[in-house]
Amino acid sequence: MRSREEVIHYCKTFENVYEDYPFHDDNWTIMRCKDNKKIFACIFQREEDIWVNVKASTEWIDFWRNAWPSVIPAYHMNKSHWNSLVLNGVIPEGDIKRMIAESYDLVKPKKKAKKNS
């Protein structure tokens, strides 16, 4: 996975998501959950590569940064909760998809428990 289009296509496989361009800049594609409008992926080009900012749980954020040199503290985001994935061929596609999926899981609306009647 190296292109913006591939990342957008993968993000759209999740339930109730949409593509947004809130900055009026075609370089920044934001993927959001429809129900709560929370961001789970920011896609942009920087230094000749496509970058994807993803949210990560505190238990995993440093793991991913240590696993791949192309996972770094997020560009323009809270570095305690977000990583940037530089899509330069270093990170295996399975790990890119896993990190995007984990980001989606962290921000998607939580299901409410049903009350027993």
Side-chain angles (χ1 to χ4, degrees):
M1 185 177 300
R2 304 245 341 226
S3 73
R4 178 188 309 269
E5 294 74 22
E6 288 174 301
V7 177
I8 291 169
H9 177 76
Y10 178 68
C11 288
K12 286 183 173 180
T13 65
F14 297 103
E15 186 176 350
N16 293 321
V17 303
Y18 68 100
E19 183 177 343
D20 192 14
Y21 294 86
F23 308 122
H24 307 289
D25 179 350
D26 289 342
N27 186 44
W28 287 86
T29 305
I30 307 301
M31 301 305 297
R32 297 180 185 266
C33 295
K34 284 182 183 175
D35 295 333
N36 62 12
K37 297 184 175 50
K38 288 189 176 182
I39 298 168
F40 70 96
C42 299
I43 308 158
F44 56 99
Q45 184 171 347
R46 184 167 190 258
E47 301 171 354
E48 307 300 319
D49 291 307
I50 294 297
W51 290 40
V52 184
N53 287 349
V54 293
K55 192 165 189 174
S57 67
T58 53
E59 300 86 32
W60 284 93
I61 202 154
D62 287 327
F63 170 84
W64 289 117
R65 290 176 188 173
N66 291 324
W68 304 108
S70 293
V71 177
I72 58 176
Y75 180 72
H76 276 310
M77 303 286 276
N78 182 324
K79 290 155 183 39
S80 299
H81 301 283
W82 291 80
N83 279 332
S84 285
L85 316 180
V86 182
L87 304 186
N88 56 7
V90 172
I91 310 166
E93 185 167 330
D95 284 345
I96 294 169
K97 287 181 174 181
R98 181 175 172 188
M99 286 183 268
I100 293 171
E102 288 173 357
S103 182
Y104 172 79
D105 285 341
L106 287 169
V107 304
K108 73 180 179 184
K110 307 303 179 231
K111 299 211 185 259
K112 294 180 180 171
K114 291 183 181 180
K115 294 181 180 178
N116 292 336
S117 302

